[in-house]
Amino acid sequence: MSDENITQQAETQAQVQPTPLRCITGAVISGGLGYAVYSLMIAIATTFATKPIHSDNPMVVNIASAVRTLVVGVTALGAGIFGIVAIGLLALAVQLLVQQVIKPKS
């Protein structure tokens, strides 16, 4: 009995059609998050650049350098993904608008 309810809810949620307004709203949210992550990445990179590693042990220097590179790289990856998603959602909004203009509902 509960399996039928879950199936019906899943089908209802899967049938929601994208609209240009929903795409633009998602693009604004994704772009905002991308900008926030980009700003965080710049702050992290600046902090790492102003605070050098103080050690004579080459292994410590290598590990610290690798960790710093990974941290900045992961934040850059996050910013890039959010940016690409925002661009894709804007492109989808344009496509939906063009489809609505070319083929109006009858």
Side-chain angles (χ1 to χ4, degrees), residues 12-96:
T12 304
Q13 290 175 356
Q15 294 175 356
V16 175
Q17 296 294 322
T19 62
L21 180 62
R22 290 182 68 159
C23 292
I24 292 171
T25 303
V28 167
I29 292 170
S30 180
L33 286 172
Y35 181 75
V37 174
Y38 176 76
S39 298
L40 178 66
M41 180 195 67
I42 296 298
I44 290 170
T46 304
T47 302
F48 285 162
T50 58
K51 296 180 182 177
I53 302 165
H54 299 292
S55 178
D56 294 333
N57 190 346
M59 183 176 279
V60 170
V61 173
N62 288 339
I63 291 173
S65 171
V67 168
R68 288 178 175 208
T69 302
L70 286 172
V71 169
V72 173
V74 166
T75 54
L77 181 66
I81 287 174
F82 279 119
I84 290 170
V85 167
I87 291 169
L89 284 171
L90 283 176
L92 179 61
V94 169
Q95 180 184 7
L96 291 173

